[in-house]
Structure formats: structure tokens, C-alpha cells
């Protein structure tokens, strides 16, 4: 966990997100709290992370997602040296399919 990020307001935000029960509720909440571009940026990053995790090369990821190589590099650094947040989510999504 990034101690620079940890504060009461962020705790409240994350607790609020954990109260959402389904995709429709997520759409409603995130459309209220974020701009369309912010949502697109976040969804682009998770798509990039998924493709990196699957072993795709940068040029394929750029073509599929429209992400810049700088964004892809940033996401790759998070996958390699971050807090394993992407891995937690991807592992749970994969287990949900079973």
C-alpha cells in the first residue's frame, strides 16, 4: 500500500466502491464521480495490464487499446514493481469464471 495515498478521504472512496453490487451500479456511481475521459483512461489501463499479463507486445497493445507507449510502460512498471493490485483483480476474475 502506498502510504502517500492513504488518507481518510481515499478510505471512504474505496469503502464506497466496495458497496457496489453489480456492473450497473458501478456505471451509475462512476458516471457520477468521474468524467467520461477519466473512466476511459482507467479502463484503458486495465485493458493494457491484461494484455501485458497475457504476453502481448507493445505494438499490439497500442493497436488494440490506443494507449501510448508511455502509458503501457507505466502499467508494466506497476505489474512488475507495484502492489500486486492488478494481479489480485485478475486472479479473482479468473477464479470467478471457474
Amino acid at each position: 500500500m502506498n502510504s502517500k495515498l492513504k488518507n481518510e478521504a481515499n478510505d471512504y472512496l474505496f469503502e464506497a466502491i466496495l458497496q457496489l453490487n453489480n456492473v450497473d451500479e458501478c456505471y451509475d456511481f462512476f458516471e457520477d464521480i468521474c468524467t467520461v475521459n477519466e473512466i476511459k483512461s482507467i479502463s484503458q489501463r486495465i485493458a493494457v495490464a491484461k494484455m501485458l499479463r497475457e504476453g502481448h507486445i507493445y505494438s499490439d497493445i497500442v493497436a488494440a487499446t490506443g494507449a501510448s507507449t508511455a502509458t503501457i510502460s507505466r502499467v508494466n512498471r506497476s505489474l512488475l514493481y507495484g502492489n500486486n493490485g492488478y494481479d489480485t483483480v485478475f486472479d479473482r476474475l479468473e477464479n470467478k469464471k471457474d
Side-chain angles (χ1 to χ4, degrees), residues 37-90:
N37 285 337
E38 289 168 335
I39 295 168
K40 286 181 178 182
S41 292
I42 294 167
S43 65
Q44 181 186 64
R45 287 181 183 185
I46 199 161
V48 166
K50 183 176 184 287
M51 290 184 76
L52 284 168
R53 197 169 190 243
E54 292 169 348
H56 293 271
I57 60 172
Y58 277 36
S59 58
D60 291 342
I61 297 169
V62 169
T65 67
S68 68
T69 55
T71 296
I72 297 168
S73 292
R74 228 175 287 123
V75 171
N76 194 43
R77 261 193 314 277
S78 292
L79 285 169
L80 296 173
Y81 307 111
N83 296 312
N84 298 314
Y86 283 117
D87 290 331
T88 298
V89 169
F90 292 140

